[in-house]
Amino acid sequence: MGNFSLIISETSKAHDIARAFIDIKIANTDITILKLLLNKVLLDSDLSPDQIQQKISEKNSTKEDFINKIMKNINNNELTTVELASKLEKQSKKENLDNQRRIDSTKRQVILENISKEEIKRYSYLEPKINIILDNYSVHKSQLVKEICEILNMNLIYLPPYSPQFNPIEQVWRTCKIEIKRKYYESKEKLEKFFVKTYFKVVNGGNFFNWWEKLNSFILIKRLFLTKVSNT
C-alpha cells in the first residue's frame, strides 16, 4: 500500500503514462531532493506547442536536403505515378511541424532525456521498490514506460488477460455507465468528481487488494518454477 495519487490526463499516450508514474513516485518518496528533481522533470517536460515545434524543426532536413530527396524519387523511373505521389506525400508529412507522430515522439524523447540522470536513479533505489499493477493496454508495455519505471525503481506487474475481476477500473466504468445513462452532467468538472467518488466507492467496497496479493504470490511462484526448470 502506498500514498494516493490521481492523475487525469487528456490522453493515455506513453508520455502521459510516464508522467503519471513520476507523480506516483513523488507521492511515495520521503526523499525531499528526489521530489524536487522529479518535479523539475515534469516542469521541464511540459513544453508548449511552440517549443515542441521548435524542437521538431531543429531535426528537419535542410531545404537543400529535402529537395535532393524529392528529386531522387522523381528520377526513379521504377516508380509508378501512384507510388511516386505516395512517397512525396509521406516525405512532406514527415517534415510537417504538426505531424502528430513527431509531436508524440518529441514528448517521449524530452521526458526520457530529463529523467535519465544518475542522481534520480540513485535516490530512487534508496527506497523499497514500488509495485505497479496494471492491465495489458499496449502503452503500458511501451519502451518509454519500461525505461521510466526502471529509473524510478518500479516493478510492473501485468494482470492476466481477460480478467476484469482483478481490475477495479472495469467495475468503475460499468457503474459509471449505468449512472450516466440516468443523469446528465453539465460540466467536465462535475463528471470528474462523480468518477472519483465512484472509483473510491468501488475500490473500497471490493477485495481487489486481496486478489492482487494472491496474484502477486502466484506470479512469484511461477517465476521460481520457470527459473528452476530452466536451470535443470
Side-chain angles (χ1 to χ4, degrees):
M1 295 295 293
N3 294 325
F4 172 70
S5 178
L6 175 66
I7 303 95
I8 298 176
S9 62
E10 294 297 326
T11 70
S12 55
K13 295 183 179 180
H15 51 83
D16 291 315
I17 302 300
R19 294 180 69 91
F21 285 159
I22 294 173
D23 274 321
I24 291 173
K25 184 68 176 183
I26 292 171
N28 287 277
T29 180
D30 294 323
I31 303 175
T32 303
I33 190 171
L34 181 56
K35 289 179 182 284
L36 294 173
L37 289 169
L38 292 178
N39 275 305
K40 188 174 187 305
V41 169
L42 293 177
L43 181 63
D44 292 345
S45 302
D46 189 18
L47 303 183
S48 68
D50 288 342
Q51 289 174 312
I52 293 173
Q53 287 194 343
Q54 177 60 35
K55 284 189 170 291
I56 293 175
S57 65
E58 290 171 358
K59 295 182 180 180
N60 274 0
S61 306
T62 63
K63 185 177 180 180
E64 183 179 356
D65 287 340
F66 182 65
I67 291 174
N68 288 334
K69 290 177 184 178
I70 294 293
M71 294 308 298
K72 183 178 179 180
N73 282 313
I74 291 176
N75 294 328
N76 186 350
N77 295 325
E78 295 182 1
L79 293 176
T80 65
T81 304
V82 174
E83 290 172 336
L84 176 59
S86 177
K87 281 186 172 292
L88 295 180
E89 182 183 13
K90 287 180 180 179
Q91 285 182 327
S92 298
K93 285 183 177 180
K94 190 175 180 181
E95 300 293 322
N96 192 338
L97 299 181
D98 294 322
N99 186 311
Q100 191 59 50
R101 293 184 66 179
R102 297 192 71 189
I103 291 173
D104 291 337
S105 176
T106 301
K107 289 182 177 180
R108 291 195 298 269
Q109 181 183 358
V110 167
I111 197 168
L112 187 58
E113 287 176 352
N114 285 329
I115 202 172
S116 295
K117 295 179 174 61
E118 188 59 37
E119 190 178 19
I120 291 177
K121 187 171 185 177
R122 185 173 72 252
Y123 282 120
S124 293
Y125 276 73
L126 291 177
E127 297 178 309
K129 188 180 291 291
I130 296 176
N131 291 312
I132 304 291
I133 299 173
L134 63 174
D135 60 27
N136 290 273
Y137 179 42
S138 58
V139 172
H140 294 161
K141 296 185 175 182
S142 67
Q143 187 61 33
L144 174 67
V145 168
K146 291 179 180 179
E147 290 183 28
I148 293 289
C149 288
E150 171 64 23
I151 294 170
L152 296 177
N153 193 24
M154 289 179 166
N155 180 40
L156 298 176
I157 301 173
Y158 297 102
L159 295 173
Y162 309 109
S163 56
Q165 71 276 17
F166 290 137
N167 193 347
I169 199 65
E170 297 292 346
Q171 313 306 322
V172 172
W173 285 135
R174 183 170 60 84
T175 305
C176 285
K177 286 177 182 178
I178 294 173
E179 176 66 18
I180 291 173
K181 285 181 180 179
R182 303 171 182 168
K183 184 177 179 180
Y184 173 74
Y185 289 85
E186 60 272 17
S187 69
K188 177 183 175 182
E189 290 71 23
K190 289 186 178 181
L191 185 60
E192 286 183 355
K193 287 182 180 179
F194 162 69
F195 173 79
V196 172
K197 180 180 179 181
T198 303
Y199 175 84
F200 281 113
K201 181 179 179 181
V202 171
V203 171
N204 293 333
N207 57 350
F208 297 104
F209 299 114
N210 293 332
W211 288 339
W212 288 347
E213 185 177 9
K214 292 177 182 178
L215 175 63
N216 195 31
S217 299
F218 170 76
I219 291 173
L220 290 174
I221 293 172
K222 182 179 178 181
R223 286 177 180 171
L224 289 172
F225 173 75
L226 292 175
T227 301
K228 184 175 180 181
V229 170
S230 63
N231 291 335
T232 57

